[in-house]
Amino acid sequence: SRSAQMVADFEGGHMPFARTHLILVPLGRSSDAGVFGTTLRWGHGSIVLYLGATADEEAFKRDWVAPHELFHLTNPYLVRRLPWFTEGMTTYYGDVIRARGGTRTSTEMWDNILSGFGHACDSQSLAGLRTASRQMRVMHNYQRVYWGGACVGFIVDVALRAHTNNAQSLDTVYKALRQRSMGEDGPLAEDEIVAAFHAPFPKDHWAHAWVDARHPPRSRPDPPQKGYCANVLRPPSLCPCHGSLA
């Protein structure tokens, strides 16, 4: 219920589907709260979670698997699988919604996000992100795709908050994409996703090169003001224009 509340809070107080079918499979020899999970979204949400039968309350509080799988229910509908987008956004928000929900501190959130980025958030890795995403199930480069996509989400989030003085964020773009995908035009193509990430910025804005994984910059741009990173913990309408990472 804690994980479901995090997703409901992200969605504005309700779950993405009126009904969600949840199957819990206990594993007798494991004390990990979340061992594995998978999500389907045909008709209404369906999730299978494998969990440790001996896991205690603290383990469930620290669990990332249930929030991750439940957040998949918010993914926009797509023409074809785009792991860099669906898994990347879900990986990024998996940390963010847990910090917003109070089950981890902001320091823990950023430590995990920055640790996850590793080499997945440099220009060379992002240059091949779309190709790596298409080949993920063959090459088994899951970490690169998940965290490379999370890096793109982070860049859009912080850059958009800085560009609009926190009037908009990745929340704004992501939720709009979901609404579009459920409209008359139906599921979205990859180029529509990238175009939506580009749209809020002027043509010469530094974020463009980082969002378009086919043409990343040769060097890192100047980072936005640190205060906007701190505001990731809150929806944009609740953010001051500046903040502190402390």
Side-chain angles (χ1 to χ4, degrees):
S1 60
R2 184 185 293 119
S3 298
Q5 187 60 55
M6 294 174 191
V7 174
D9 289 344
F10 177 83
E11 287 285 285
H14 57 82
M15 291 296 289
F17 293 92
R19 295 177 58 192
T20 299
H21 186 204
L22 179 62
I23 300 173
L24 301 177
V25 183
L27 301 177
R29 295 184 179 181
S30 177
S31 60
D32 293 333
V35 178
F36 180 74
T38 187
T39 301
L40 298 174
R41 298 185 305 154
W42 297 107
H44 51 258
S46 180
I47 299 175
V48 179
L49 290 174
Y50 294 82
L51 50 91
T54 61
D56 57 20
E57 173 62 21
E58 184 62 25
F60 280 106
K61 182 179 179 181
R62 309 295 294 179
D63 175 46
W64 67 270
V65 176
H68 181 98
E69 296 303 329
L70 283 161
F71 193 85
H72 268 307
L73 298 176
T74 74
N75 290 162
Y77 292 96
L78 307 174
V79 172
R80 61 179 177 84
R81 290 180 180 270
L82 295 176
W84 73 264
F85 174 71
T86 55
E87 296 295 352
M89 299 304 107
T90 302
T91 296
Y92 176 62
Y93 272 118
D95 276 302
V96 170
I97 64 172
R98 283 188 290 156
R100 289 180 182 176
T103 62
R104 57 173 28 201
T105 66
S106 61
T107 299
E108 289 172 328
M109 179 191 81
W110 287 118
D111 282 349
N112 193 62
I113 287 176
L114 294 175
S115 174
F117 283 168
H119 296 297
C121 203
D122 60 36
S123 58
Q124 184 176 358
S125 292
L126 290 182
L129 181 58
R130 294 195 197 183
T131 299
S133 181
R134 288 191 293 270
Q135 299 175 347
M136 184 182 74
R137 295 180 183 276
V138 176
M139 302 301 293
H140 303 289
N141 51 358
Y142 296 97
Q143 292 296 310
R144 178 186 178 186
V145 172
Y146 281 41
W147 283 105
C151 174
V152 172
F154 164 74
I155 289 167
V156 172
D157 200 3
V158 176
L160 189 51
R161 288 173 184 272
H163 181 62
T164 65
N165 283 339
N166 281 311
Q168 298 181 48
S169 72
L170 179 62
D171 294 22
T172 313
V173 178
Y174 181 83
K175 291 177 182 179
L177 284 169
R178 176 171 166 79
Q179 288 301 116
R180 279 180 55 192
S181 75
M182 296 189 295
E184 293 182 0
D185 294 338
L188 304 175
E190 183 174 34
D191 286 345
E192 293 178 285
I193 299 292
V194 175
F197 283 165
H198 281 303
F201 304 107
K203 291 183 178 180
D204 60 349
H205 194 278
W206 63 263
H208 282 296
W210 285 89
V211 170
D212 188 346
R214 292 173 298 185
H215 306 290
R218 295 180 179 178
S219 61
R220 290 186 179 275
D222 292 334
Q225 297 181 45
K226 290 183 178 180
Y228 295 103
C229 293
N231 291 331
V232 168
L233 294 175
R234 298 182 293 279
S237 62
L238 301 179
C239 290
C241 290
H242 303 281
S244 171
L245 280 176

